[in-house]
Amino acid sequence: MPASTFDLFKIGVGPSSSHTMGPMTAAAEFAARVQDDARVARVEVRLFGSLALTGKGHATDRAIILGLSGERPATICPDTLARVVDEVRGSGRLVLGGTRAIAFDEARDMLFLQKEKLPFHSNAMTFAAFDADGQTINDWTAYSVGGGAVIGEAETGRNAPSEGGWDVPFAFKSGDELVAMTAREGKTIAELMRVNEEASMPPEEVVARIKAIRDAMSDCIDRGVAASGILPGGLNVKRRAPDMFRKLLERQERALADPLTVIDWVNLWALAVNEENAAGGRVVTAPTNGAAGIVPAVMRYYERFAPASCAGGVETYLLTAAAIGALFKENASISGAEVGCQGEVGVACSMAAAGLAAALGGTPAQVENAAEIGMEHNLGLTCDPVGGLVQVPCIERNAVGSIKAIEAARLALLGDGTHRVSLDQVIETMRKTGLDMSERYKETSLGGLAVNVVAC
């Protein structure tokens, strides 16, 4: 079954959907399981694989503390993150699930097992609750499978996140099936997705939730444009969006002679989002935090530069993008720890390209072509964050991915929708490429730029 629009687009906090949002959600779920058991005196968390290797840089440690304290990504206030974590670390006590205080020694109770990996997924974690005598009361193994989604050990036999499948009128499993369905039903891809969403909620709620996603993306751009300073983590990466914004405003007349100034604006919007993400601000997974800047930047490009842009076009853009993202999630992966950055920036580029082509009036065939082009030229993209931080090369990679998405949409719209390589073939190629890719290039910071750039 295709994932819902609201599975692909989740409002949360940075810097990583799989390493921050997922672990926070898992920790909160485990806390909810044990918080009312008066016997619980201590909890222990073990992190494996990619979570252990890049967890500190991706704020997994903070996310676990926050989740065990009862906080969740969609509702937590970014301004309170540091205070809650500092209180736990300073006092050595954690308010489990926000209800009852227990001792918490981070060095003892949170273990980063960098040389161990569980077989199902690289982003694995186990939680255990003990009584005062050290006897295990409850334990749970969970996996952060990308985009903030979490599944438990019992769900791994289905090989899909539990949230990803729900009964819908138009269930599609491939791009070819999706395009054929539009022809048979006389509907666009966005219209099919809307009907699917309305199967589980009233139409007005669908509209309201899409608007909430759009507004959260737009707000993130505006916050990133306004915020200045150095990003946390130790790389001393300076926020560039404010200076870029100031220069673009000062040189507005140049745009009359230089039509490529449009690219500067798109670059600005993508950088602004991913600088906010790197700072731990509120972002929307699209489909992940590491690739969160592409869909918003291309959306604002449509709103500001498309001659006939409208609110309905934004809905078409987001619903279409979600349909494409659902295909990647169903048939490959959106996890950088599983398939490299092609599963994050590559998928986001494909989603944005398809959404833009649809919003600009493209046929379903042209939309599918745009999605195919967007991914085809991101195949093999590695995930090699310097210092385990979602900053270098991640921030600039979103800007480049945004421009590539616009190019893909425009190329597709210049054709009639016929093309040699199908989206399904590209998705399968991406999946196999991810399987063949060395673990060093899958969000482990053990290869690529991560080892060739000194992280200090």
Side-chain angles (χ1 to χ4, degrees):
M1 290 293 183
S4 166
T5 301
F6 310 112
D7 293 334
L8 275 301
F9 299 127
K10 297 188 187 76
I11 299 174
V13 293
S16 171
S17 50
S18 60
H19 286 58
T20 310
M21 289 175 60
M24 189 188 301
T25 298
E29 290 184 6
F30 183 72
R33 294 180 180 209
V34 301
Q35 67 188 41
D36 295 328
D37 192 329
R39 297 174 299 163
V40 176
R42 183 173 78 86
V43 294
E44 179 184 277
V45 186
R46 293 175 173 244
L47 302 167
F48 303 89
S50 179
L51 284 183
L53 288 163
T54 61
K56 293 291 181 71
H58 285 53
T60 304
D61 48 351
R62 294 189 305 153
I64 293 290
I65 291 172
L66 291 163
L68 291 175
S69 301
E71 301 285 0
R72 292 183 180 267
T75 56
I76 192 171
C77 174
D79 296 334
T80 67
L81 294 175
R83 177 182 58 78
V84 174
V85 173
D86 289 346
E87 286 179 358
V88 172
R89 288 173 170 169
S91 67
R93 298 186 68 77
L94 181 149
V95 182
L96 186 63
T99 62
R100 184 168 61 85
I102 62 171
F104 187 78
D105 181 341
E106 188 172 352
R108 177 196 65 185
D109 298 331
M110 192 184 310
L111 306 177
F112 289 78
L113 306 177
Q114 297 185 345
K115 295 183 179 181
E116 298 183 35
K117 180 180 177 181
L118 300 191
F120 177 72
H121 196 284
S122 185
N123 291 336
M125 58 200 125
T126 63
F127 298 86
F130 305 94
D131 64 17
D133 296 324
Q135 297 299 310
T136 302
I137 297 171
N138 195 310
D139 58 55
W140 182 51
T141 297
Y143 301 90
S144 180
V145 294
V150 173
I151 64 173
E153 186 71 44
E155 299 171 274
T156 59
R158 295 201 296 271
N159 199 33
S162 59
E163 66 178 346
W166 86 113
D167 292 332
V168 293
F170 301 114
F172 54 88
K173 293 185 177 181
S174 70
D176 287 348
E177 188 177 5
L178 178 59
V179 172
M181 196 175 289
T182 63
R184 184 176 68 248
E185 301 294 333
K187 296 181 182 294
T188 66
I189 293 173
E191 288 168 343
L192 293 177
M193 282 297 286
R194 182 186 296 279
V195 172
N196 283 350
E197 302 301 345
E198 291 174 355
S200 60
M201 67 187 75
E204 57 271 19
E205 183 177 347
V206 175
V207 173
R209 292 184 68 175
I210 292 173
K211 184 179 184 301
I213 290 168
R214 181 267 167 204
D215 290 348
M217 288 180 173
S218 187
D219 289 345
C220 187
I221 291 175
D222 295 338
R223 288 195 309 274
V225 165
S228 59
I230 303 297
L231 295 173
L235 288 183
N236 295 318
V237 173
K238 180 183 178 182
R239 286 181 183 252
R240 286 184 285 175
D243 285 343
M244 287 180 63
F245 183 55
R246 176 180 53 79
K247 290 176 181 177
L248 286 171
L249 290 181
E250 289 175 352
R251 306 170 187 175
Q252 292 184 71
E253 294 80 7
R254 185 177 64 180
L256 299 174
D258 181 8
L260 293 183
T261 301
V262 172
I263 293 177
D264 297 333
W265 283 103
V266 176
N267 284 332
L268 165 68
W269 298 327
L271 291 177
V273 171
N274 283 86
E275 287 174 353
E276 271 296 287
N277 178 63
R282 187 169 300 285
V283 298
V284 180
T285 62
T288 67
N289 283 29
I294 295 173
V295 171
V298 176
M299 179 184 73
R300 184 161 286 195
Y301 163 82
Y302 167 76
E303 291 178 321
R304 299 287 177 89
F305 291 107
S309 64
C310 61
V314 173
E315 290 186 6
T316 295
Y317 172 79
L318 292 173
L319 287 167
T320 305
I324 300 304
L327 290 173
F328 281 98
K329 191 171 184 178
E330 173 81 10
N331 298 305
S333 175
I334 59 170
S335 170
E338 196 169 27
V339 295
C341 197
Q342 59 175 355
E344 298 198 34
V345 162
V347 173
C349 179
S350 182
M351 291 168 63
L356 180 60
L360 294 175
T363 66
Q366 289 173 318
V367 169
E368 186 262 357
N369 189 13
E372 177 270 320
I373 295 170
M375 173 51 76
E376 184 177 357
H377 304 290
N378 280 293
L379 289 173
L381 191 60
T382 59
C383 186
D384 49 355
V386 177
L389 299 166
V390 192
Q391 297 180 18
V392 180
C394 319
I395 296 172
E396 283 186 355
R397 192 167 281 177
N398 275 258
V400 174
S402 300
I403 301 303
K404 193 178 290 187
I406 295 170
E407 168 71 351
R410 294 180 70 89
L411 273 174
L413 291 173
L414 287 171
D416 61 4
T418 58
H419 51 108
R420 180 65 181 83
V421 180
S422 73
L423 175 60
D424 293 330
Q425 290 171 324
V426 167
I427 292 175
E428 177 61 9
T429 302
M430 181 265 238
R431 186 187 70 83
K432 289 181 177 177
T433 301
L435 291 174
D436 293 339
M437 191 180 291
S438 167
E439 291 296 318
R440 291 179 297 168
Y441 303 113
K442 296 183 186 181
E443 208 166 6
T444 59
S445 285
L446 296 176
L449 286 174
V451 299
N452 288 306
V453 177
V454 179
C456 64

